Amino acid sequence: MNIDIVIATSKNIESSHFSICYTIRSILCQSINPVNIFIVLNGGIDKEKSKDILIEKFGKLIRIIETESNDENISKARNMGAGKGCSDIIIFLDDDVVLGNNYILEKIKKKMEYNDFLCGAKRFWSDHSWYLSCDYSFPINHICRILKNQSILPLSIERASGRRSYHDYSFIGHCGAIKRRVFEQLNGFDELYKGWLYQDTDLMMRLCVNKFNYELLSDSDIYIYHLSHPVDKEKYRTVNEKIFLNKQKELEIKFYLNHFFGIFSHQEKYLGVIEKLKNK
């Protein structure tokens, strides 16, 4: 099985630390190579400037795709990137992710022989000033050692519920893999969602509803570094949450994201990932 990698990017490419370039470098040092690395330039950026930066650093090692619109719909960007390839496996990465070691693609490829999709890598968070220590001229393995010493695996507890936080793990768009035939069968990410937020959760829900096999990457000690940066997600939260809740009503289910990652509170340990609500 071959691998295509899709990375949708917007404002990070233009920032002073251009985190996506660290993401690409962590891919290029893997023990096996993907067939394609698609970089999808999303809305809200100077696309010509971004192309110049990426071509200067990586040349023909990557394939750059431009979205037609100026909006920040990450679902459209990811779907467009996925549609340009033909490999059996599609891996989605965010533009602020560094793969933790050189064998992650090899491990994912092996696991995809027996699974339809994968996500849930351990997610180490850097602080916002990570780029002050990680000079771009350093070898990527040295950068990973610096990130290892300066990042944390939160193991967070949500105060309102007492549950572990699912943000300690990667969602399918942040760092996940899916078989192309499965992705096409479900028509990819739902483009009704505005900007970002909930489109990852939506795809994971539909994969579970259709009973596709999955495994958590954290079970194989696959981990990533999240290169933290300030971001305002609130402008999309309300509208996207409404879309997601309405879709659950249409499916007559409740999707427990915290149960997807295997984190159970003692009150709800009897519930699965999907709870059927019909006839209740």
Side-chain angles (χ1 to χ4, degrees), residues 153-166:
L153 182 64
L155 301 179
S156 310
I157 300 294
E158 294 179 343
R159 294 183 66 183
S161 65
R163 298 191 188 112
R164 282 278 309 280
S165 172
Y166 42 73

Side-chain angles (χ1 to χ4, degrees), residues 11 14 48 66 74 90 114 138 178 213 226 245:
K11 295 185 174 69
E14 295 181 346
E48 288 304 316
E66 295 184 52
I74 198 169
I90 307 169
Y114 311 102
F138 294 166
I178 186 170
N213 295 326
H226 184 145
L245 292 175

